[in-house]
Amino acid sequence: FEQVDVDPPVLYVVKILEFLQNCTKEYPPIQQNSRFGNAAFRNWYDGVMKTSFENMETLVDTYTSLSGQEKENTGAEIL
């Protein structure tokens, strides 16, 4: 594979996605006869919510710490 430079905000989004994937492994679906969703979703959601504020705060801090040119190069804007 070719080595490429990746901007810090993109790397952090990848870390968040990896975290969500790990939460999915940590809280697998429960075998149940429920018509309205899986009860394990509540546990997964609680696990995600415990760190969601810190994750978004770090992402925004990472983005805002970039210089103007670096922000232009990301091709993204956080409002």
Side-chain angles (χ1 to χ4, degrees):
F1 289 97
E2 185 179 328
Q3 192 74 359
V4 296
D5 291 330
V6 180
D7 293 318
V10 174
L11 289 175
Y12 199 74
V13 168
V14 170
K15 287 181 184 180
I16 292 172
L17 293 173
E18 288 171 348
F19 167 75
L20 294 173
Q21 185 176 28
N22 288 335
C23 281
T24 303
K25 291 176 186 174
E26 188 174 338
Y27 305 107
I30 298 170
Q31 295 300 319
Q32 63 183 26
N33 293 325
S34 176
R35 185 175 161 183
F36 299 106
N38 197 288
F41 176 78
R42 287 184 219 124
N43 297 330
W44 178 85
Y45 183 80
D46 289 343
V48 169
M49 291 307 294
K50 285 179 186 174
T51 60
S52 63
F53 182 77
E54 292 88 11
N55 286 336
M56 288 308 298
E57 187 175 47
T58 302
L59 178 61
V60 170
D61 288 346
T62 301
Y63 180 77
T64 55
S65 69
L66 298 175
S67 70
Q69 183 62 42
E70 289 173 316
K71 286 179 184 176
E72 271 185 41
N73 292 341
T74 64
E77 183 176 332
I78 297 177
L79 301 175

